Amino acid sequence: MTDTNILVFAATGNVGRHIVTLLREAGHAVRAVTRDPGAARLPAGVEVVPGDLADPATLHACLAGIDAVFLLWPLHSGEHLPAVLDLIAARARRVVFLGTGGVPDLPFEEQDKLVHGCGIESTVLRPSTFAVNTLWWADQIRAGDVVRGAYGALPMSLIHEADMAAVAARALTGPGHDGATHTLTGPEVLTQAEQVRVIGEVLGRPLRWEELTREQARRRLLNDETFPDSFVDVLLDGYAAMLAGPPPVLTSTVQDVTGAPPRSLRRWAADHADDFR
Ligand SMILES: NC(=O)c1ccc[n+]([C@@H]2O[C@H](COP(=O)([O-])OP(=O)(O)OC[C@H]3O[C@@H](n4cnc5c(N)ncnc54)[C@H](OP(=O)(O)O)[C@@H]3O)[C@@H](O)[C@H]2O)c1
């Protein structure tokens, strides 16, 4: 697909902003969906349109004249995903979906089935934990050298949002991704305690992890006004399940699809150093 008309959902988010930039640089026409176009701050030349995934009836106009769609699911219920996919399949030729573990009523396998069964070319990206989640520690890092949380020994492979976007842009515009579910990881496995140390090294600070019980961590997150209450147990349950399961397995998919190795946490922290200051 060259010179394609591409619709990007969640275009104002961590991943979506990078996708929009990559697609514009490659010369594609980009339409970005947001609930608040006035606050979107997207690059010149991007058509910004209103739409709400929680209200699929608002999406008809967004999809007119569109060839390919990037979709992620920011809601904590999958109720409207089938209706949104039906709307997309009625108008576009291709959809690229970023899978999520944050929808308790719609596990990964169900997401795959819905997306690959929607009747048009489809690709699912199944990312490991976002490196950007470490910004949940930013308040603590600004306040001192200690990060307190539960499951400090939990190993994860953190992925840079720019790497997810690079794979998504290829899948939206190039051949060879129809029917694929791409598992995406970063280049390394680090425990949460090790992640804190690496961020400290990049910031030039002796940061260290201090372990809390799950209940202490739960109360801490519930008191954090910037963290959604509805996501606290989903997150901690997810961490407990990850700790009980097999350790993360790294994939070469970012390199295979984009030709460049995935970015390290060190690189991500350097890109985001100002967000911790
Ligand atoms: N964090 C992880 O470790 C992880 C792992 C796997 C998958 N994910 C997936 O990645 C998503 C987050 O991606 P991100 O970090 O790029 O986004 P983000 O920075 O958290 O921003 C959320 C985006 O979703 C949009 N949005 C929220 N509610 C919406 C609605 N009702 N209708 C339309 N758009 C809506 C927002 O757009 P406006 O506010 O402009 O409307 C914004 O662009 C998660 O929701 C999950 O699906 C996350």
Side-chain angles (χ1 to χ4, degrees):
M1 286 193 178
T2 48
D3 299 334
T4 310
N5 294 315
I6 302 174
L7 185 70
V8 179
F9 281 100
T12 61
N14 298 301
V15 182
R17 279 191 188 279
H18 282 277
I19 296 177
V20 166
T21 301
L22 289 171
L23 294 174
R24 286 296 298 152
E25 284 170 1
H28 299 286
V30 179
R31 187 180 294 161
V33 185
T34 170
R35 290 164 299 171
D36 184 0
R41 293 182 300 104
L42 286 160
V46 174
E47 185 190 0
V48 182
V49 296
D52 187 341
L53 289 165
D55 183 4
T58 64
L59 304 179
H60 290 272
C62 311
L63 283 155
I66 286 296
D67 301 303
V69 175
F70 172 77
L71 177 66
L72 60 66
W73 203 251
L75 311 176
H76 292 309
S77 160
E79 184 191 347
H80 297 304
L81 180 58
V84 170
L85 285 169
D86 281 349
L87 286 173
I88 291 170
R91 288 160 182 83
R93 286 181 283 143
R94 179 178 294 191
V95 62
V96 175
F97 180 77
L98 186 76
T100 172
V103 187
D105 63 354
L106 202 64
F108 280 125
E109 296 68 27
E110 293 296 316
Q111 296 169 33
D112 278 23
K113 223 185 283 173
L114 284 173
V115 174
H116 288 315
C118 79
I120 57 173
E121 290 179 36
S122 60
T123 308
V124 174
L125 310 182
R126 201 182 275 183
S128 59
T129 307
F130 286 18
V132 78
N133 290 359
T134 63
L135 287 176
W136 294 333
W137 300 327
D139 284 351
Q140 298 193 73
I141 290 173
R142 274 185 222 109
D145 288 339
V146 180
V147 171
R148 296 178 178 86
Y151 307 112
L154 175 64
M156 298 175 187
S157 176
L158 297 182
I159 185 161
H160 196 306
E161 56 277 11
D163 288 325
M164 291 183 267
V167 174
R170 296 288 180 122
L172 284 162
T173 59
H177 302 283
D178 182 24
T181 293
H182 289 314
T183 300
L184 309 179
T185 71
E188 65 215 335
V189 175
L190 296 166
T191 67
Q192 294 204 88
E194 289 167 340
Q195 294 163 28
V196 166
R197 185 179 43 74
V198 168
I199 292 168
E201 284 167 10
V202 173
L203 299 178
R205 306 245 320 265
L207 297 183
R208 66 181 170 82
W209 179 267
E210 190 175 290
E211 187 70 18
L212 299 180
T213 65
R214 178 188 164 122
E215 193 43 41
Q216 286 170 326
R218 185 171 181 276
R219 261 184 273 124
R220 194 175 184 291
L221 289 170
L222 287 170
N223 284 332
D224 181 342
E225 280 169 14
T226 65
F227 201 91
D229 284 359
S230 62
F231 191 53
V232 171
D233 286 320
V234 175
L235 179 77
L236 293 172
D237 288 348
Y239 283 179
M242 282 162 75
L243 196 58
V249 175
L250 300 180
T251 71
S252 60
T253 313
V254 170
Q255 168 95 52
D256 298 343
V257 173
T258 70
R263 295 157 173 92
S264 64
L265 177 61
R266 200 168 287 280
R267 165 68 193 275
W268 180 90
D271 290 345
H272 287 268
D274 287 346
D275 296 334
F276 291 101
R277 291 184 175 127

